[in-house]
Amino acid sequence: MATTLEEKQYLVRFRCDTESHLTVLDHDVCATKCPDKDCTIFCPADVYKWEGDRMFVGFEGCHECGSCRIGCPFQNIKWEYPKGGHGIVFRLA
């Protein structure tokens, strides 16, 4: 039985689309107005990574929790449901 968060996350599977359902609307906002890069902290799937001078979005591992919709202090992330048949697939242990 899965007991740690990491073990529980291992049970999650994804059907990835070729197009992201997550969009950073303005990369300059991340670079100039958001010194803490909050999305790199609150996303449980570590989808957001700040590298160099740009935010990278690894949408393939998104848990679809929606935390980025409410967590970005600048509302700079557009979150949509993945197209039909794609996205997270939960597997119960």
Side-chain angles (χ1 to χ4, degrees), residues 15-65:
R15 288 193 185 108
C16 296
D17 194 358
T18 56
E19 296 179 27
S20 178
H21 64 286
L22 304 169
T23 306
V24 175
L25 300 174
D26 185 349
H27 287 274
D28 288 336
V29 169
C30 300
T32 61
K33 296 183 179 179
C34 190
D36 296 327
K37 311 297 184 264
D38 294 340
C39 60
T40 64
I41 299 166
F42 62 65
C43 177
D46 292 329
V47 166
Y48 301 94
K49 300 283 184 199
W50 183 257
E51 294 181 10
D53 61 348
R54 190 169 172 89
M55 185 64 66
F56 288 88
V57 182
F59 70 95
E60 299 88 349
C62 177
H63 290 187
E64 298 174 33
C65 67

Side-chain angles (χ1 to χ4, degrees), residues 48-91:
Y48 301 94
K49 300 283 184 199
W50 183 257
E51 294 181 10
D53 61 348
R54 190 169 172 89
M55 185 64 66
F56 288 88
V57 182
F59 70 95
E60 299 88 349
C62 177
H63 290 187
E64 298 174 33
C65 67
S67 63
C68 57
R69 290 187 288 183
I70 59 173
C72 178
F74 302 99
Q75 298 179 338
N76 195 33
I77 299 172
K78 180 180 178 185
W79 186 97
E80 300 175 298
Y81 285 104
K83 288 191 266 181
H86 294 93
I88 195 163
V89 177
F90 292 103
R91 188 180 88 200

